[in-house]
Short mmCIF file of all heavy atoms in Angstrom, two decimals:
data_model
loop_
_atom_site.label_atom_id
_atom_site.label_comp_id
_atom_site.label_asym_id
_atom_site.label_seq_id
_atom_site.Cartn_x
_atom_site.Cartn_y
_atom_site.Cartn_z
N PRO A 13 127.02 -13.16 125.82
CA PRO A 13 127.28 -12.25 124.69
C PRO A 13 126.68 -10.85 124.84
O PRO A 13 127.25 -9.89 124.31
CB PRO A 13 126.67 -12.99 123.50
CG PRO A 13 126.76 -14.44 123.87
CD PRO A 13 126.48 -14.46 125.35
N HIS A 14 125.55 -10.71 125.53
CA HIS A 14 124.96 -9.37 125.62
C HIS A 14 125.75 -8.46 126.56
O HIS A 14 125.47 -7.27 126.64
CB HIS A 14 123.48 -9.43 126.02
CG HIS A 14 123.19 -10.12 127.31
ND1 HIS A 14 123.43 -11.45 127.53
CD2 HIS A 14 122.65 -9.65 128.47
CE1 HIS A 14 123.07 -11.79 128.75
NE2 HIS A 14 122.60 -10.71 129.34
N PHE A 15 126.78 -9.01 127.23
CA PHE A 15 127.66 -8.18 128.05
C PHE A 15 128.98 -7.89 127.33
O PHE A 15 129.94 -7.46 127.96
CB PHE A 15 127.93 -8.84 129.39
CG PHE A 15 126.79 -8.74 130.36
CD1 PHE A 15 125.89 -9.78 130.49
CD2 PHE A 15 126.61 -7.60 131.13
CE1 PHE A 15 124.83 -9.70 131.38
CE2 PHE A 15 125.54 -7.51 132.02
CZ PHE A 15 124.65 -8.55 132.14
N ASP A 16 129.05 -8.13 126.03
CA ASP A 16 130.29 -7.85 125.29
C ASP A 16 130.76 -6.43 125.54
O ASP A 16 129.97 -5.47 125.50
CB ASP A 16 130.07 -8.06 123.78
CG ASP A 16 130.37 -9.48 123.35
OD1 ASP A 16 130.65 -10.33 124.21
OD2 ASP A 16 130.31 -9.76 122.13
N GLY A 17 132.04 -6.29 125.78
CA GLY A 17 132.62 -5.02 126.19
C GLY A 17 132.93 -5.04 127.67
O GLY A 17 133.88 -4.40 128.13
N ALA A 18 132.13 -5.79 128.42
CA ALA A 18 132.37 -6.00 129.85
C ALA A 18 132.11 -7.47 130.19
O ALA A 18 131.72 -7.80 131.30
CB ALA A 18 131.48 -5.09 130.69
N GLU A 19 132.32 -8.33 129.18
CA GLU A 19 132.06 -9.76 129.38
C GLU A 19 132.94 -10.37 130.46
O GLU A 19 132.53 -11.30 131.17
CB GLU A 19 132.24 -10.53 128.05
CG GLU A 19 133.68 -10.74 127.59
CD GLU A 19 134.37 -9.48 127.09
OE1 GLU A 19 133.66 -8.53 126.69
OE2 GLU A 19 135.62 -9.45 127.09
N ASP A 20 134.15 -9.83 130.63
CA ASP A 20 135.04 -10.33 131.68
C ASP A 20 134.51 -9.94 133.06
O ASP A 20 134.47 -10.76 133.98
CB ASP A 20 136.46 -9.81 131.48
CG ASP A 20 136.54 -8.30 131.31
OD1 ASP A 20 135.52 -7.65 131.03
OD2 ASP A 20 137.66 -7.77 131.45
N TYR A 21 134.09 -8.69 133.21
CA TYR A 21 133.56 -8.21 134.49
C TYR A 21 132.32 -9.00 134.89
O TYR A 21 132.18 -9.41 136.05
CB TYR A 21 133.24 -6.73 134.35
CG TYR A 21 132.88 -6.01 135.63
CD1 TYR A 21 133.45 -6.35 136.85
CD2 TYR A 21 131.96 -4.95 135.62
CE1 TYR A 21 133.12 -5.66 138.01
CE2 TYR A 21 131.63 -4.26 136.76
CZ TYR A 21 132.21 -4.62 137.96
OH TYR A 21 131.89 -3.95 139.11
N ASP A 22 131.44 -9.22 133.96
CA ASP A 22 130.25 -10.02 134.23
C ASP A 22 130.63 -11.43 134.69
O ASP A 22 130.04 -11.97 135.63
CB ASP A 22 129.36 -10.09 132.99
CG ASP A 22 128.18 -11.03 133.15
OD1 ASP A 22 127.35 -10.78 134.06
OD2 ASP A 22 128.09 -12.02 132.40
N LEU A 23 131.64 -12.01 134.05
CA LEU A 23 132.09 -13.35 134.43
C LEU A 23 132.65 -13.35 135.86
O LEU A 23 132.32 -14.24 136.66
CB LEU A 23 133.14 -13.85 133.46
CG LEU A 23 133.71 -15.24 133.76
CD1 LEU A 23 132.66 -16.32 133.51
CD2 LEU A 23 134.96 -15.51 132.94
N TYR A 24 133.48 -12.37 136.19
CA TYR A 24 134.06 -12.33 137.53
C TYR A 24 132.98 -12.22 138.60
O TYR A 24 133.04 -12.91 139.63
CB TYR A 24 135.01 -11.13 137.68
CG TYR A 24 136.08 -11.01 136.64
CD1 TYR A 24 136.61 -9.77 136.30
CD2 TYR A 24 136.58 -12.12 135.96
CE1 TYR A 24 137.60 -9.63 135.34
CE2 TYR A 24 137.57 -11.99 135.00
CZ TYR A 24 138.07 -10.74 134.69
OH TYR A 24 139.05 -10.61 133.74
N LEU A 25 132.01 -11.34 138.36
CA LEU A 25 130.94 -11.15 139.34
C LEU A 25 130.12 -12.42 139.53
O LEU A 25 129.71 -12.75 140.65
CB LEU A 25 130.04 -9.99 138.92
CG LEU A 25 130.68 -8.59 139.03
CD1 LEU A 25 129.84 -7.56 138.29
CD2 LEU A 25 130.85 -8.19 140.49
N ARG A 26 129.89 -13.16 138.46
CA ARG A 26 129.16 -14.42 138.60
C ARG A 26 130.01 -15.49 139.27
O ARG A 26 129.50 -16.30 140.05
CB ARG A 26 128.67 -14.89 137.22
CG ARG A 26 127.53 -14.05 136.67
CD ARG A 26 127.00 -14.59 135.36
NE ARG A 26 127.95 -14.45 134.28
CZ ARG A 26 128.25 -15.40 133.39
NH1 ARG A 26 127.67 -16.59 133.50
NH2 ARG A 26 129.11 -15.19 132.42
N LEU A 27 131.31 -15.49 139.00
CA LEU A 27 132.20 -16.48 139.64
C LEU A 27 132.29 -16.26 141.14
O LEU A 27 132.54 -17.22 141.89
CB LEU A 27 133.59 -16.42 139.02
CG LEU A 27 133.85 -17.32 137.81
CD1 LEU A 27 135.25 -17.08 137.27
CD2 LEU A 27 133.65 -18.79 138.15
N LEU A 28 132.13 -15.03 141.61
CA LEU A 28 132.15 -14.76 143.04
C LEU A 28 131.07 -15.54 143.77
O LEU A 28 131.21 -15.84 144.97
CB LEU A 28 131.97 -13.27 143.31
CG LEU A 28 133.16 -12.36 143.03
CD1 LEU A 28 132.76 -10.90 143.29
CD2 LEU A 28 134.36 -12.73 143.88
N GLU A 29 130.01 -15.89 143.06
CA GLU A 29 128.92 -16.66 143.66
C GLU A 29 129.25 -18.16 143.69
O GLU A 29 128.53 -18.95 144.30
CB GLU A 29 127.63 -16.41 142.88
CG GLU A 29 127.22 -14.94 142.86
CD GLU A 29 126.24 -14.62 141.74
OE1 GLU A 29 125.47 -15.52 141.34
OE2 GLU A 29 126.24 -13.47 141.25
N TYR A 30 130.33 -18.52 143.03
CA TYR A 30 130.72 -19.92 142.89
C TYR A 30 131.92 -20.26 143.76
O TYR A 30 132.11 -21.40 144.18
CB TYR A 30 131.06 -20.20 141.41
CG TYR A 30 131.03 -21.63 141.01
CD1 TYR A 30 129.87 -22.25 140.55
CD2 TYR A 30 132.19 -22.41 141.08
CE1 TYR A 30 129.86 -23.58 140.17
CE2 TYR A 30 132.19 -23.74 140.69
CZ TYR A 30 131.01 -24.32 140.24
OH TYR A 30 131.00 -25.64 139.86
N GLY A 31 132.78 -19.28 144.02
CA GLY A 31 133.98 -19.51 144.82
C GLY A 31 134.82 -18.25 144.89
O GLY A 31 134.36 -17.15 144.58
N LYS A 32 136.08 -18.41 145.26
CA LYS A 32 136.97 -17.27 145.44
C LYS A 32 137.74 -16.94 144.17
O LYS A 32 137.95 -17.78 143.31
CB LYS A 32 137.96 -17.56 146.57
CG LYS A 32 137.32 -17.71 147.95
CD LYS A 32 138.37 -17.99 149.01
CE LYS A 32 137.73 -18.13 150.39
NZ LYS A 32 138.75 -18.43 151.43
N ILE A 33 138.17 -15.68 144.11
CA ILE A 33 139.02 -15.20 143.03
C ILE A 33 140.27 -14.61 143.65
O ILE A 33 140.19 -13.86 144.64
CB ILE A 33 138.30 -14.13 142.18
CG1 ILE A 33 137.13 -14.76 141.42
CG2 ILE A 33 139.25 -13.44 141.22
CD1 ILE A 33 136.31 -13.76 140.61
N GLY A 34 141.43 -14.95 143.09
CA GLY A 34 142.69 -14.43 143.61
C GLY A 34 143.53 -13.82 142.51
O GLY A 34 143.14 -13.78 141.34
N ALA A 35 144.71 -13.35 142.87
CA ALA A 35 145.62 -12.77 141.89
C ALA A 35 147.05 -12.86 142.41
O ALA A 35 147.29 -12.96 143.61
CB ALA A 35 145.26 -11.31 141.61
N LEU A 36 147.99 -12.84 141.48
CA LEU A 36 149.41 -12.90 141.80
C LEU A 36 150.04 -11.52 141.78
O LEU A 36 149.72 -10.69 140.92
CB LEU A 36 150.14 -13.79 140.78
CG LEU A 36 149.99 -15.30 140.97
CD1 LEU A 36 150.46 -16.03 139.72
CD2 LEU A 36 150.76 -15.77 142.19
N ASN A 37 150.95 -11.30 142.71
CA ASN A 37 151.65 -10.03 142.81
C ASN A 37 152.86 -10.03 141.88
O ASN A 37 153.99 -9.77 142.28
CB ASN A 37 152.10 -9.81 144.26
CG ASN A 37 152.73 -8.45 144.47
OD1 ASN A 37 152.46 -7.51 143.72
ND2 ASN A 37 153.59 -8.35 145.46
N GLU A 38 152.62 -10.36 140.61
CA GLU A 38 153.68 -10.40 139.60
C GLU A 38 153.12 -9.91 138.28
O GLU A 38 151.97 -10.18 137.94
CB GLU A 38 154.20 -11.83 139.42
CG GLU A 38 154.89 -12.44 140.60
CD GLU A 38 155.40 -13.84 140.29
OE1 GLU A 38 156.44 -13.95 139.60
OE2 GLU A 38 154.76 -14.82 140.72
#
């Protein structure tokens, strides 16, 4: 919660330590 406003960015950066992140070209 203390990262509200950038809570998604904080989550992505922490998930990078857990595994890979990908995206679809659509």
Side-chain angles (χ1 to χ4, degrees):
H14 58 296
F15 284 97
D16 270 5
E19 74 288 338
D20 52 343
Y21 189 33
D22 173 61
L23 179 70
Y24 307 152
L25 289 167
R26 288 184 292 135
L27 270 177
L28 286 177
E29 301 161 29
Y30 200 89
K32 294 180 180 180
I33 292 177
L36 283 166
N37 185 25
E38 295 182 76

